[in-house]
Amino acid sequence: GIESTCDETAAAIVEDGRKVISNVISTSVREQALYGGVVPEIASRRHAEYISATVDKALSDAGMTIRDVDAVAVTFAPGLIGAVLVGVNFAKGLAYAAGKPLVPVHHLRGHIAANYLTHPELKPPFLCLVASGGHSHIVAVEDYTTYKVLGKTRDDAAGEALDKAGRTLGLPYPGGISIDKISPTGDENAFAFPHPRLDTPYDFSFSGLKTAVINIVHRMEQKGETLPVADLAASFQKGVTDCLVEKLEKAATDYGYTSIALAGGVSANSRLRRETDRLCRQKGWQLHLPALKYCGDNGAMVGAQGYYEYVSGVRAQPDLNAYATMPIDRPTF
Ligand code: KG4
Ligand code: ZN
């Protein structure tokens, strides 16, 4: 499984969709932090530099050569186009040279599959909240390659909102991680952030929360007041995670799902994990949380989903392209 949609260059060897043999991640996140966010051009350049050694290490850590693998899976969408192209082109060359089938994987399908690596007993159907830096979806996972999107964000993704709030509060990039770290030292009820009312019951909107925190910070700065950073971070984290959990609860109730999963970078958030756990215990639903090491972008999740795409007959030709956007339920390539 090969992954390069954002700032992680990653490769893994996965057996039968469930067992991780090796998992290697190279990241440009420290360099991106200098700029307060991902600079796409820098991400693409680092992928091009790292990818060959990353894939080599995944093979050597597994004690294998490319001859030992059955197929090459690669994330082909969605993501930063220049970044995705590096992984796709490398995977195409590798598969062609080694005479292996090439399997295209949708990035969010990969995030969902991180749960198969963590929970050997988990099988579809289940309901998954996918929250990352680029997407926030409530997805009915009907089968390993069949999905229905019940709701999604109208504007910012949850991770994007957390990152922007973190930046406004002067916290290091990625803001989502910084906010999670600092929040336990703050009062999450110090500030009330709005829960937007939308006419579609399972959709999200985070731009109002983002504007609210920016306005609070500007007002306090203009008055020369000291920013209560931890209180603001904790309150903002509460605002975002409560919105996510609220919609997840509504979708699961309305559609009758009792098997629930989280996925994506934001699924590492400790408050989101705690509150979803509380909800599922209260309802008697079964909750699946991806192991922390599989929440962020990685190659193992691509290998896991790649297996299920492979057994369902999905193959890409050498003309496979990369795409910045792509629906999870109807990918075309
Ligand atoms: O899935 P991911 O690694 O990359 C994308 O596909 O976008 O998600 C990255 C996002 C970032 O916005 C980051 O701030 C957020 O996940 N994130 C977190 C935490 N760890 C990563 N947000 C909240 N709490 C965390 N612990
Ligand atoms: Zn991701």
Side-chain angles (χ1 to χ4, degrees):
I2 296 176
E3 156 66 37
S4 71
T5 56
C6 190
D7 52 1
E8 271 84 33
T9 318
I13 308 291
V14 178
E15 190 177 298
D16 296 347
R18 298 276 175 168
K19 189 173 169 206
V20 181
I21 313 289
S22 68
N23 190 33
V24 180
I25 303 177
S26 316
T27 177
S28 60
V29 67
R30 274 179 295 277
E31 191 177 354
Q32 310 286 1
L34 298 173
Y35 303 93
V38 177
V39 181
E41 182 58 22
I42 293 178
S44 312
R45 284 166 188 260
R46 295 302 164 256
H47 287 309
E49 287 168 21
Y50 299 161
I51 192 140
S52 181
T54 304
V55 172
D56 273 356
K57 186 158 172 24
L59 284 166
S60 65
D61 283 3
M64 293 165 70
T65 72
I66 191 64
R67 280 187 293 279
D68 301 315
V69 308
D70 295 307
V72 177
V74 64
T75 315
F76 77 106
L80 301 170
I81 190 67
V84 192
L85 268 169
V86 176
V88 165
N89 283 326
F90 188 89
K92 286 202 295 196
L94 185 67
Y96 182 70
K100 305 289 178 181
L102 179 64
V103 181
V105 173
H106 188 284
H107 184 69
L108 298 185
R109 290 186 178 200
H111 272 304
I112 294 171
N115 284 287
Y116 303 139
L117 301 171
T118 312
H119 306 283
E121 80 295 348
L122 175 64
K123 289 188 177 76
F126 58 92
L127 188 69
C128 190
L129 168 68
V130 190
S132 70
H135 298 85
S136 301
H137 281 20
I138 294 180
V139 181
V141 183
E142 296 177 340
D143 207 338
Y144 290 105
T145 56
T146 314
Y147 307 78
K148 197 178 280 164
V149 178
L150 304 184
K152 57 175 148 184
T153 185
R154 297 267 189 94
D155 37 61
D156 292 359
E160 190 181 357
L162 286 160
D163 290 346
K164 285 179 182 164
R167 191 169 166 167
T168 305
L169 296 174
L171 297 171
Y173 176 83
I177 298 176
S178 298
I179 286 179
D180 194 358
K181 268 194 201 143
I182 198 174
S183 287
T185 65
D187 173 7
E188 66 175 20
N189 296 310
F191 296 86
F193 284 97
H195 281 210
R197 289 195 174 279
L198 305 172
D199 48 11
T200 44
Y202 318 117
D203 281 349
F204 306 106
S205 168
F206 294 112
S207 71
L209 275 81
K210 183 188 67 185
T211 310
V213 75
I214 291 171
N215 287 342
I216 292 170
V217 168
H218 283 176
R219 228 174 291 133
M220 294 186 91
E221 280 176 350
Q222 276 165 2
K223 288 189 199 158
E225 294 172 3
T226 314
L227 279 186
V229 173
D231 288 352
L232 278 165
S235 304
F236 190 79
Q237 177 179 260
K238 178 178 192 295
V240 170
T241 50
D242 279 352
C243 285
L244 292 170
V245 175
E246 209 173 89
K247 298 296 170 85
L248 178 65
E249 174 181 1
K250 178 147 183 55
T253 306
D254 292 355
Y255 283 83
Y257 280 95
T258 57
S259 179
I260 311 290
L262 298 187
V266 181
S267 67
N269 182 264
S270 47
R271 188 179 192 278
L272 179 62
R273 292 170 85 94
R274 197 168 60 238
E275 289 305 311
T276 322
D277 184 60
R278 192 200 307 272
L279 168 71
C280 290
R281 279 174 197 279
Q282 182 197 334
K283 299 278 185 182
W285 298 341
Q286 210 175 2
L287 176 62
H288 306 89
L289 298 171
L292 287 175
K293 63 181 170 187
Y294 299 135
C295 288
D297 294 345
N298 64 86
M301 69 185 202
V302 180
Q305 183 59 28
Y307 168 79
Y308 290 105
E309 302 286 344
Y310 174 76
V311 296
S312 76
V314 176
R315 303 286 185 273
Q317 297 311 309
D319 64 353
L320 175 68
N321 206 350
Y323 301 88
T325 60
M326 183 63 64
I328 185 174
D329 48 348
R330 287 170 286 103
T332 50
F333 49 86

